[in-house]
Amino acid sequence: MAVASLIPPAPATGEPQSGCYMAATSDCGGRLSREHYISRGLIDGPELRVRGMPWQREEVARFSPDNLVARILCRRHNSAMSPLDAHAIRFFLSVEAGLKHAQRRSLSRKSRFYMTSGDGLELWAMKTLASLYSSGIEFMTPEHRFRDFEPPMERIVAELSSPNPCSIMTLSLPLMQDAHEEQIGRRAVSIGPIVDDETGELSGLLVRMHGIALVFNIDLPDKDALPETEIARPDMIDLIGMDRTSRIFLSRAKRRPEAWIVQIRLSHPRKDPPAGRSDRGCNRQPLRK
Ligand SMILES: [Zn+2]
């Protein structure tokens, strides 16, 4: 599942459109479009919750899809980058179908497999970060104001306009059950910035889809910098139900000799009560530097 080029079709227009965050590439066209800055397909129906600190209990704001629009990209750039939304939606729908399969009542023990793009998902997260920041969305946490943390926009624009785009964000999956929502499967997306308390800088985005926590780390030096309880760039996510498993593959252009699998157990009785409330995680350990 390769990621298609995100560059608008040639020839370049030579025009920067003021207000488009890709304007530095001088390849704008068609004025600014009023677009959803989180892939519309992800918030069709389910509401989007925006949280402050990712592991924080209180929800900061809840938005209906109609409120999540802004003029941040010209039409030409918006459509050139739309394949990224398709990758995120494919992942979201694969998790949805995978959960359904693993949890439904049936005597069958057959596993099902779903193919998604790990590279596409990381690029989508980078575009979403740029879009959220450019939209000027106003959300506050008790300690931070999201707008005060400028992501490396120049580098993001350079990557999104490169013939071989490469995300500055690395996906990691927490292994601890309580990093995910207590009830996996709520059909919703939540997004929150991760601020490194030591450096005071934005270090990533936490996205939950159907309650499953996905951490997108900005400029992760290497996988050893992650807390021990997180797996960088998993190749597969297994959703393990009582009787059967769904396996979601996250494809990558660069293959590694070994494959990493994250297993998420569903609807098994828990022995100890979860530490957090539904919808919250545990305290994420800081990155090791
Ligand atoms: Zn543009």
Side-chain angles (χ1 to χ4, degrees), residues 19-24 72-73 81 127 130-131 134 153 156-157 160:
C20 171
Y21 67 76
M22 297 295 289
I72 49 174
L73 283 172
M81 296 199 292
K127 178 196 164 201
S131 300
S134 303
M153 289 299 287
I156 293 177
V157 169
L160 289 172

Side-chain angles (χ1 to χ4, degrees), residues 3-287:
V3 176
S5 165
L6 306 171
I7 303 175
T13 61
E15 298 281 329
Q17 165 77 55
S18 115
C20 171
Y21 67 76
M22 297 295 289
T25 61
S26 290
D27 192 9
C28 290
R31 317 185 67 165
L32 291 182
S33 64
R34 189 171 175 275
E35 285 298 331
H36 284 82
Y37 46 82
I38 311 222
S39 318
R40 171 76 213 205
L42 291 180
I43 47 172
D44 235 356
E47 86 272 43
L48 176 93
R49 293 158 185 240
V50 177
R51 242 157 272 272
M53 295 294 280
W55 316 106
Q56 174 186 20
R57 284 160 198 256
E58 268 57 65
E59 167 179 306
V60 175
R62 196 185 286 207
F63 299 92
S64 77
D66 289 342
N67 293 335
L68 293 166
V69 286
R71 296 176 202 275
I72 49 174
L73 283 172
C74 68
R75 284 189 192 284
R76 187 166 155 83
H77 276 121
N78 191 60
S79 73
M81 296 199 292
S82 62
L84 298 183
D85 298 305
H87 283 297
I89 290 162
R90 186 181 178 106
F91 181 83
F92 183 83
L93 294 177
S94 297
V95 171
E96 182 164 287
L99 288 169
K100 212 170 174 181
H101 173 69
Q103 292 177 306
R104 80 191 149 91
R105 285 171 190 273
S106 148
L107 293 175
S108 159
R109 293 284 185 274
K110 271 190 193 150
S111 294
R112 275 202 192 155
F113 304 95
Y114 304 86
M115 189 57 75
T116 70
S117 168
D119 293 330
L121 203 56
E122 287 179 343
L123 284 164
W124 167 81
M126 181 170 80
K127 178 196 164 201
T128 299
L129 176 66
S131 300
L132 277 173
Y133 181 74
S134 303
S135 74
I137 187 173
E138 189 62 75
F139 67 88
M140 309 278 294
T141 76
E143 289 135 47
H144 305 290
R145 184 169 177 240
F146 179 62
R147 287 170 65 179
D148 294 340
F149 296 91
E150 185 177 359
M153 289 299 287
E154 267 181 39
R155 288 174 50 218
I156 293 177
V157 169
E159 285 298 343
L160 289 172
S161 56
S162 146
N164 293 303
C166 185
S167 183
I168 65 166
M169 300 179 90
T170 305
L171 171 64
S172 62
L173 252 87
L175 296 178
M176 297 158 311
Q177 200 84 9
D178 63 356
H180 309 287
E181 282 181 22
E182 192 180 334
Q183 290 290 328
I184 299 269
R186 193 171 59 87
R187 193 175 196 280
V189 178
S190 76
I191 295 188
I194 304 175
V195 175
D196 186 316
D197 280 333
E198 275 177 27
T199 62
E201 283 173 13
L202 186 71
S203 66
L205 273 188
L206 176 90
V207 178
R208 286 209 183 92
M209 293 191 187
H210 297 286
I212 294 177
L214 309 165
V215 180
F216 293 95
N217 304 274
I218 300 172
D219 287 332
L220 188 68
D222 63 83
K223 65 180 172 47
D224 294 333
L226 286 175
E228 273 167 23
T229 49
E230 286 179 31
I231 294 285
R233 297 208 152 125
D235 300 279
M236 299 164 219
I237 300 171
D238 281 354
L239 304 170
I240 303 172
M242 297 292 264
D243 298 317
R244 66 199 88 73
T245 295
S246 296
R247 171 165 288 182
I248 297 168
F249 288 92
L250 292 108
S251 75
R252 300 190 175 277
K254 278 188 199 147
R255 294 259 171 81
R256 292 177 301 195
E258 79 280 30
W260 289 89
I261 307 177
V262 171
Q263 298 186 317
I264 298 174
R265 287 179 193 283
L266 309 166
S267 62
H268 284 263
R270 305 178 67 121
K271 289 199 183 92
D272 22 76
R277 284 203 317 218
S278 145
D279 209 69
R280 183 217 171 237
C282 49
N283 287 315
R284 186 187 189 210
Q285 292 157 16
L287 294 184

